[in-house]
Amino acid sequence: MGLLPIIVILCSVFFSHTVSGQLRQNYYANICPNVETIVGNVVKTKFQETFVTVPATLRLFFHDCFVQGCDASVIIASSGTNKAEKDHSDNLSLAGDGFDTVIKAKAAVDADPSCTNKVSCADILALATRDVIALSGGPSYAVELGRLDGFSSTAASVDGKLPQAEFSLNQLNSMFSAHGLSQEDMIALSAAHSVGFSHCNKFANRIYNFSRQNPVDPTLDKEYAVQLQSMCPKNVDPIIAIDMDPNTPRTFDNVYFQNLVQRKGLFTSDQVLFEDLRSRPTVNTWANNSAAFQTAFVTAMTKLGRVGVKTGTKGNIRFDCAAFN
């Protein structure tokens, strides 16, 4: 091995250690000791108003971290001179309740005199995401904190950075591995589709024009395909949306994997996790073992929360989550 590969390896090890090392549990213990309670109360109130809070906040966290890291850049509103991330076509389906949850939680945190302008929007989003998962039946876990908010948010930066509904296993693995996430992490995080909904146009090709030989995707359960066609007839209004999980759409659970075994994954990128023999064993294991899935999910969420974290002079704490200071 030459000197350059050794330097690269050393640098990558050092970089991954320092980034996650700057995040820690109880980061705000001496800065804003009540931050988790304050955020939790806002999220609970929002959850009681509408269940959409759960998938909306969860997706917001994913879409934020996959583009320029977990720095709340996805929340920035476009201005006259800048088209922000949230207005990229891949982000237009992000429900407003996710943004609203973070903005309300930030306001509540800043209303506490000991916390004013001391907690980042990026950390509030990470905490709110944990809280909505727990409220919908998923695992609760300790969140590493200490992220700063980013200085940049452009629609152009989103291009090619988010998983698509038609992705193959290779495409999924490639995109997740670029963020230091393994195939197991990717499969665990895909279970975010255990809650929430999708617009019909995201999977219409699977039930109407999959191929010349097979108008309906043959990896789709036949009865489920008929059910989807009845809920999403041809030329349906594109704003019509259906549950991602046909069985327990309001519970974050391992039924997502049981659905894949029954060939009831809504997207190609869901069903491929069972169809591809490289990932099928993991799907089978988690379909039968909720505890094993939850453990893997917490590990994957913790790793996701470390992606591209801004610290030091690379970020700041926004006064308004939707605008740069």
Side-chain angles (χ1 to χ4, degrees):
M1 183 184 284
L3 183 61
L4 186 60
I6 292 172
I7 292 170
V8 169
I9 289 168
L10 288 174
C11 286
S12 63
V13 169
F14 175 74
F15 178 74
S16 63
H17 173 73
T18 53
V19 169
S20 59
Q22 286 158 342
L23 295 182
R24 63 181 188 272
Q25 296 167 19
N26 303 317
Y27 176 88
Y28 293 101
N30 300 316
I31 303 169
C32 173
N34 297 323
V35 64
E36 298 212 20
T37 303
I38 297 168
V39 172
N41 287 338
V42 171
V43 173
K44 191 172 183 181
T45 299
K46 182 77 184 166
F47 171 78
Q48 289 166 343
E49 290 170 5
T50 172
F51 182 82
V52 175
T53 302
V54 176
T57 306
L58 189 48
R59 284 191 73 214
L60 195 64
F61 183 64
F62 275 65
H63 284 230
D64 183 42
C65 293
F66 263 63
V67 180
Q68 304 192 101
C70 309
D71 64 353
S73 54
V74 73
I75 303 175
I76 291 289
S78 293
S79 63
T81 54
N82 180 57
K83 184 179 178 183
E85 283 177 37
K86 70 182 291 189
D87 288 323
H88 186 280
S89 57
D90 284 353
N91 282 332
L92 293 178
S93 62
L94 289 171
D97 288 291
F99 297 92
D100 189 49
T101 299
V102 177
I103 288 165
K104 283 182 173 167
K106 170 70 169 169
V109 169
D110 283 350
D112 183 318
S114 66
C115 303
T116 309
N117 298 331
K118 291 179 181 175
V119 182
S120 68
C121 301
D123 276 347
I124 288 172
L125 174 54
L127 287 170
T129 301
R130 183 270 313 274
D131 292 342
V132 296
I133 290 164
L135 284 167
S136 54
S140 188
Y141 52 91
V143 179
E144 296 177 340
L145 300 165
R147 301 165 189 79
L148 291 177
D149 299 324
F151 293 135
S152 170
S153 178
T154 64
S157 65
V158 181
D159 289 342
K161 297 287 172 58
L162 295 169
Q164 302 298 313
E166 69 281 359
F167 267 16
S168 67
L169 187 71
N170 285 346
Q171 288 172 304
L172 289 167
N173 278 337
S174 175
M175 185 165 279
F176 279 71
S177 67
H179 298 301
L181 298 162
S182 67
Q183 176 174 287
E184 185 167 285
D185 296 327
M186 179 273 292
I187 299 169
L189 293 171
S190 295
H193 290 168
S194 166
V195 290
F197 48 86
S198 169
H199 296 286
C200 293
N201 61 345
K202 287 290 184 184
F203 56 87
N205 67 305
R206 295 190 72 204
I207 56 176
Y208 291 117
N209 54 351
F210 184 71
S211 70
R212 190 171 291 176
Q213 294 80 14
N214 296 296
V216 177
D217 184 342
T219 67
L220 200 56
D221 175 81
K222 287 185 171 60
E223 285 183 19
Y224 185 46
V226 170
Q227 189 183 340
L228 291 175
Q229 287 172 338
S230 69
M231 292 187 287
C232 291
K234 282 185 180 179
N235 304 318
V236 71
D237 187 325
I239 66 165
I240 297 295
I242 68 156
D243 291 326
M244 296 282 291
D245 180 341
N247 292 311
T248 57
R250 287 175 172 249
T251 307
F252 185 92
D253 55 20
N254 69 326
V255 173
Y256 169 79
F257 298 105
Q258 295 169 14
N259 291 336
L260 301 186
V261 174
Q262 295 166 14
R263 295 201 155 90
K264 293 179 181 178
L266 190 59
F267 294 160
T268 300
S269 60
D270 293 311
Q271 194 56 48
V272 74
L273 302 180
F274 180 75
E275 301 306 322
D276 195 302
L277 298 180
R278 294 170 293 170
S279 46
R280 182 180 288 183
T282 306
V283 171
N284 281 329
T285 297
W286 292 343
N288 293 306
N289 190 330
S290 176
F293 155 59
Q294 291 200 358
T295 299
F297 182 78
V298 169
T299 297
M301 285 295 284
T302 302
K303 287 169 71 174
L304 176 62
R306 296 170 181 163
V307 171
V309 164
K310 310 294 187 293
T311 55
T313 59
K314 300 284 175 65
N316 64 6
I317 292 172
R318 279 185 220 139
F319 304 127
D320 174 356
C321 292
F324 298 118
N325 291 353

